[in-house]
């Protein structure tokens, strides 16, 4: 029997066969993690000789600009000490300055270099931010998540021994969101709030009025906001791509002094491989003191706790050359030589196309509205099939050579699947259409 | 008044002036941290136009071999995807394999690649190791330190909310050490033991019999040993530099299955700048399960907790090019093309010289004996002055343009100063001799 025959016989994978495979690998689609799903899809691809459409990966789908790699080569060649010298815990002055300039040009806020701290990817920043937020005040060890969200942030809270609460952005937007948040803050157990805008996976973007409301609450209740800007400026309904000119990218920094902002290089600069990001600590927060921090960080001052109590004992700084790469990217973007938002705009075009193929096959968007406007097109969107649970939709997608993340694992209380478009290309559109068509016909026959 | 006049007038710095400066900067020499000391010395150097002899830095004093930097350049040039692709959480296969080979050649143990996990410097490895050790078993949240040691390891325990106990190697060696450790283990509150051999700062090296005794205890009481091999093979009394040939570098792995080994690139390869190290998880420990881990790592399995519950939520992996650099260094060392121990032997020669200058000026070694043998010459040694406290010795050293770390900050219960020789060179020997001579005469007049 040759390969193509196997393929024809076995594809789509029968429900019986997939059930058996899931039992064999002890996998429960209701609780599957991204990595388990990755491994399952790898195995199915081999076993059934099928190239899956892998919507489950949330990874850059394009190459990074040559600016970063060239810079790394340059600094290695020009500075013989770069590999032997410990980086400063609070980061290289060049990157700190470049971050400060970039913030001014793209989000129109003024923060000194000293407030910009490089971290080993945004993960590292989010880890330390949550550690500080949840350990400032005795009794306020809960992190509030504006969900759906990136599941690993909750794993970080778990590592840190913190508690977790969640508000689903499907249920609360605008004034309802602010009121709901205030009802949480009143309990005095919330140390920090974390969100991403655009949101992973719904691509919901918080409105200025919402940021304003959140900012006021953060100040009023002395809670810290963690703005995870993983997809900074990637709401393409507004063009934020011109440095130093309005419109500027919205930020909580305009509405409170109680903030951390995390800027990752992974998505906006497609620079995931060298693990480099920056956390911006509000200049006021930097010098704020909380007695309870001492127990964990040997200091009561937030900025010192972040750097000497956070960066130092976890990684003792960030790889030197990666810091130069990110500095060069920020510098090129700030002077308008590198239009990073234009580079990643391709995700918008893919989302538009892929979304319409799903819709043409009786799938619906879960998070379809952004306070009255249709949701923006970007890195992710969310689909569902009326009458089916997340795990059931995933089950049938897998049978038909497609994978995505069940929404329940993202903290959403809705049934559906996260679709990441970073790895699809034009040539996949026809295949997707065919597979969804077969899947749809199958479900309609049931 | 010109600069040289200032210098002549003010040097040595008078006790009164230094006292005033310490008050001005709110610095207490009894509790000073390494970084505070660094800043103080920076300031004194400028204020008094004096080039200090900086024995306080524990940083590589030589350039790294070109092997690492060349490899980073090569992989950046050859692989356009390297900067845009997330590294696997458990590390690049190449580095994992190279580590496994290196271990076989230099310490004569067989571990599979899967047991070798890259981390963002040894700091990152020590952080996750302690997290696992102290969270395995409810009630066993204490980390036992064989002191003196690297102060930041205790800051890590603090970050993790763990407890700390200490045994001073000055007071307990050989069977006394084993007995003392057993008396701690019997209490059932110890989750892990951490040590470095050669030890920072005493340069004490654990004997085979001690490792054997410790190994038996670790197995008997199900405690995990964390062998921090920051100075792997740098006990120059034995030549470990030929790969694949005895003598091999001593290790706890020969005496128990309950171990983590942390190999840092910072000192042995002078590769501190790119933050890269490897933790080796004993293959048996890798698959061991502890129910209490679930609460923090979402899994009860040690290996999975380390990678998916430890590496993932802290940094999501290690910079790609740094992993290739370390792989290349391990590879070159394993085939005998790169004699790394020969490169760093220079620290031995410096230690020998600097030690004798201190001794000639009535200083004594604190940790002078290594179970009957004189202590080995290496990266660090410890000095004291009879009748003076650590902070007093440091005070007078600072007055005379020298800096070192007070031993009390390293967990030692002895009075004295850690001297790191990495940054002194031949031309400093005369200056050191002169300054110690003046210092000594001053103290003798008191």
């Amino acid at each position: 029997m040759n390969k193509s025959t196997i393929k024809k016989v076995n594809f789509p994978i029968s429900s019986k066969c997939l059930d058996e495979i899931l039992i064999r690998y002890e996998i429960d689609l209701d609780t599957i993690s991204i990595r388990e799903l990755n491994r399952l899809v790898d195995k199915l691809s081999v076993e059934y000789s099928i190239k899956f459409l892998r919507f489950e990966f949330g990874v850059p789908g394009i190459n990074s600009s040559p600016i970063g790699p060239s810079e790394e080569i340059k600094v290695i060649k020009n500075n013989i000490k770069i590999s032997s010298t410990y980086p400063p815990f609070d980061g290289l002055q060049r990157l700190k300055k470049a971050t400060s300039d970039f913030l001014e040009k793209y989000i129109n806020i003024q923060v000194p270099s000293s407030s910009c701290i490089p971290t080993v990817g945004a993960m590292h920043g989010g880890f330390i931010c949550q550690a500080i937020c949840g350990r400032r005040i005795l009794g306020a060890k809960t992190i509030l998540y504006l969900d759906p969200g990136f599941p690993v942030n909750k794993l970080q809270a778990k590592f840190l021994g913190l508690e977790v609460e969640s508000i689903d952005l499907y249920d609360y937007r605008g004034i309802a969101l602010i009121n709901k948040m205030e009802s949480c803050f009143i309990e005095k157990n919330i140390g920090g709030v974390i969100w991403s805008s655009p949101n992973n996976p719904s691509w919901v973007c918080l409105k200025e009025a919402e940021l304003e409301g959140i900012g006021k609450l953060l100040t009023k209740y002395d809670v810290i906001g963690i703005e995870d800007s993983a997809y900074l400026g990637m709401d393409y309904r507004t063009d934020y791509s011109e440095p130093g000119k309005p419109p500027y990218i919205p930020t909580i920094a305009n509405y409170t002094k109680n903030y951390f902002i995390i800027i990752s290089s992974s998505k906006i600069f497609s620079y995931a491989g060298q693990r480099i990001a920056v956390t911006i600590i509000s200049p006021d927060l930097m010098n704020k003191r909380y007695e309870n921090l001492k127990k964990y960080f040997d200091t009561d001052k937030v900025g010192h706790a972040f750097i000497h109590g956070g960066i130092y004992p976890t990684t003792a700084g960030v790889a030197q050359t990666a810091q130069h790469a990110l500095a060069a990217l920020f510098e090129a973007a700030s002077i308008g030589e590198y239009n990073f938002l234009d580079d990643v705009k391709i995700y918008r075009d893919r989302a538009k196309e892929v979304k319409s193929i799903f819709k043409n096959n009786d799938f619906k968007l879960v998070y379809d509205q952004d306070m009255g406007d249709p949701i923006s097109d970007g890195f992710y969107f969310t689909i569902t099939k009326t009458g089916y649970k997340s795990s059931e939709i995933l089950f049938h997608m897998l049978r038909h050579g497609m994978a995505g993340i069940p929404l329940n694992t993202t903290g959403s209380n809705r049934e559906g699947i996260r679709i990441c478009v970073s790895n699809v290309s034009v040539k996949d559109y026809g295949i997707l259409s065919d597979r969804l068509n077969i899947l749809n016909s199958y479900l309609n026959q049931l």
Side-chain angles (χ1 to χ4, degrees), chain A:
Chain A
M1 211 194 311
N2 65 31
K3 262 201 168 175
S4 76
T5 326
I6 297 179
K7 216 160 144 180
K8 272 183 194 150
V9 171
N10 290 324
F11 192 76
I13 305 167
S14 73
S15 296
K16 191 168 165 284
C17 285
L18 185 54
D19 270 330
E20 278 171 18
I21 290 169
L22 294 175
I23 289 166
R24 195 197 317 154
Y25 294 136
E26 297 176 42
I27 286 174
D28 178 353
L29 293 185
D30 275 316
T31 58
I32 195 165
S33 73
I34 300 188
R35 298 296 140 173
E36 282 179 316
L37 183 59
N38 293 157
R39 282 197 298 272
L40 173 64
V41 175
D42 288 344
K43 284 166 182 163
L44 292 175
S45 303
V46 173
E47 234 167 291
Y48 287 89
S49 306
I50 282 293
K51 192 171 173 298
F52 267 66
L53 296 172
R54 304 193 72 155
F55 301 115
E56 89 273 25
F57 282 121
V59 300
I62 59 176
N63 294 335
S64 49
S65 138
I67 295 169
S70 313
E71 192 67 22
E72 297 206 43
I73 290 175
K74 195 171 115 190
V75 295
I76 295 172
K77 283 187 175 165
N78 290 351
N79 182 355
I80 196 172
K81 294 272 178 208
I82 209 160
S83 54
S84 63
T85 313
Y86 282 94
F89 302 140
D90 63 340
L92 295 179
Q93 200 46 50
R94 176 187 175 191
L95 175 53
K96 294 165 79 70
K97 169 79 168 55
T99 307
S100 167
D101 291 346
F102 178 84
L103 292 170
E104 188 176 340
K105 296 289 186 183
Y106 283 91
I107 73 173
N108 198 30
I109 62 169
Q110 267 78 41
V111 293
S113 301
S114 55
S115 273
C116 306
I117 319 292
T119 61
V120 181
M123 192 68 89
H124 193 206
F127 181 76
I128 302 175
C129 287
Q130 288 191 71
I132 289 179
C133 290
R135 291 166 163 187
R136 288 177 307 141
I137 299 163
L138 202 67
K141 60 183 279 188
T142 300
I143 307 294
L144 178 64
Y145 290 73
L146 303 190
D147 273 326
F150 183 39
V152 193
N153 286 143
K154 295 200 184 80
L155 183 59
Q156 297 180 313
K158 197 162 201 172
F159 184 110
L160 294 164
L162 303 178
E163 306 291 331
V164 162
E165 273 184 37
S166 164
I167 297 176
D168 196 316
L169 289 170
Y170 190 94
D171 301 322
Y172 301 94
R173 290 298 304 275
I175 190 68
L177 173 63
I178 307 307
N179 290 340
K180 178 69 181 168
M181 286 178 76
E182 184 153 23
S183 74
C184 297
F185 285 11
I186 276 175
E187 304 293 326
K188 299 271 182 203
N189 65 329
I190 306 292
V193 189
I194 188 167
W195 69 88
S196 189
S197 173
N199 168 281
N200 163 10
S202 71
W203 220 248
V204 156
C205 299
L206 295 177
K207 302 280 178 197
E208 286 289 352
E210 290 172 314
L211 289 173
E212 188 178 352
I214 295 172
K216 280 184 184 162
L217 288 183
L218 293 172
T219 307
K220 182 175 171 191
Y221 292 93
D222 193 20
V223 172
I224 299 177
I226 307 174
E227 183 170 80
D228 173 10
S229 299
Y231 311 96
L232 186 82
M234 286 167 69
D235 174 4
Y236 293 106
R237 294 170 302 186
T238 308
D239 181 3
Y240 299 116
S241 71
E242 267 206 77
K245 286 189 187 149
Y248 294 101
I249 299 167
T251 176
I252 195 68
N254 291 323
Y255 304 109
T256 184
K257 293 171 175 173
N258 261 4
Y259 68 82
F260 292 116
I261 302 173
I262 302 172
I263 298 183
S264 168
S265 67
S266 298
K267 305 304 190 314
I268 61 170
F269 297 146
S270 306
Y271 220 71
Q274 295 288 70
R275 313 305 309 123
I276 176 76
V278 184
T279 293
I280 295 96
I281 308 177
S282 141
D284 290 79
L285 188 55
M286 196 87 184
N287 293 309
K288 240 173 155 172
R289 291 173 193 269
Y290 294 96
E291 185 59 28
N292 204 55
L293 290 177
K294 269 192 191 155
K295 190 178 160 198
Y296 299 96
F297 303 99
D298 250 359
T299 170
D300 59 354
K301 222 166 141 184
V302 171
H304 200 246
F306 194 98
I307 297 163
H308 292 271
I311 299 279
Y312 190 15
T314 52
T315 67
V318 184
Q320 297 254 17
T321 65
Q323 292 196 53
H324 281 285
L326 182 53
L329 289 160
F330 279 149
E331 285 158 5
S334 294
I335 59 172
E337 271 185 8
Y338 168 41
N339 190 333
F340 67 100
L341 288 171
D342 210 51
D343 267 22
V344 285
K345 209 181 258 177
I346 190 166
Y347 300 132
R348 175 195 63 179
D349 306 333
R350 290 181 188 172
K352 202 172 284 182
E353 203 61 45
V354 174
K355 226 181 245 183
S356 85
I357 301 173
F358 271 99
K359 281 182 174 172
N360 291 341
N361 286 281
D362 285 350
F363 283 83
K364 289 197 300 189
L365 295 183
V366 182
Y367 296 81
D368 57 344
Q369 290 285 311
D370 205 1
M371 288 193 75
D373 298 325
I375 207 98
S376 172
D377 289 313
F379 206 69
Y380 301 109
F381 61 89
T382 52
I383 54 104
T384 193
K385 189 93 187 166
T386 311
Y388 290 89
K389 282 174 58 189
S390 301
S391 56
E392 292 166 343
I393 304 170
L394 176 58
F395 183 83
H396 291 295
M397 284 176 65
L398 289 170
R399 288 184 47 230
H400 292 81
M402 295 168 283
I405 301 288
L407 283 189
N408 53 306
T409 67
T410 69
S412 166
N413 53 28
R414 304 278 146 179
E415 303 295 339
I417 300 291
R418 178 187 89 174
I419 299 297
C420 175
V421 297
S422 68
N423 277 301
V424 288
S425 62
V426 175
K427 63 174 176 27
D428 295 324
Y429 298 159
I431 301 167
L432 173 62
S433 186
D434 291 347
R435 290 185 186 175
L436 286 179
N437 197 273
I438 297 169
L439 186 158
N440 206 29
S441 312
Y442 173 86
L443 292 185
N444 287 338
Q445 284 164 19
L446 290 181

